[in-house]
Amino acid sequence: SSIINGETKLSTPSVKLSTPKSKSIKVSWNKISGAKGYDVYRATSKKGTYSKRTTTSNLNYTNTGLTKGKTYYYKVRAYKIINNKKVYSSYSPIKSISSK
């Protein structure tokens, strides 16, 4: 694919959450064309501080060891490497789920 001014915008990931097991949340998202990997962020309130949980090239991440009944908020962004620099997509819309 041709790159104009070093810029080809990455699409924004679309996130789905599920609770496959007790005290764990599975975060999954669609494949973004051109992305090298994905950063997954979590907070315990929608407006809270999001901390990076993982960087992965997979299309899902399972967060384990959670507190039962607590609600967690997640967002994901894709990245690619251009000239040895990470270039990011926008953050996905925030999704929340309670662990069971």
Side-chain angles (χ1 to χ4, degrees):
S1 68
S2 63
I3 296 174
I4 300 142
N5 303 333
E7 282 294 314
T8 47
K9 289 284 280 178
L10 288 168
S11 306
T12 304
S14 168
V15 173
K16 287 208 283 283
L17 302 179
S18 60
T19 51
K21 294 202 297 286
S22 179
K23 298 184 185 173
S24 78
I25 292 170
K26 183 178 182 183
V27 186
S28 51
W29 53 90
N30 57 313
K31 184 172 174 54
I32 301 298
S33 175
K36 178 118 177 82
Y38 306 89
D39 289 342
V40 180
Y41 295 83
R42 187 189 81 191
T44 50
S45 67
K46 188 163 189 174
K47 296 268 191 270
T49 304
Y50 285 79
S51 58
K52 190 192 291 185
R53 305 308 300 170
T54 191
T55 298
T56 181
S57 57
N58 297 329
L59 296 177
N60 61 70
Y61 162 70
T62 302
N63 197 182
T64 57
L66 302 173
T67 304
K68 193 178 161 121
K70 192 171 175 71
T71 300
Y72 293 92
Y73 297 79
Y74 293 90
K75 61 185 180 182
V76 176
R77 65 179 177 176
Y79 70 85
K80 60 184 174 179
I81 310 287
I82 296 178
N83 302 330
N84 295 322
K85 285 221 285 283
K86 275 188 172 184
V87 178
Y88 294 97
S89 72
S90 301
Y91 285 106
S92 67
I94 293 163
K95 290 285 173 90
S96 65
I97 196 169
S98 296
S99 63
K100 55 181 190 198

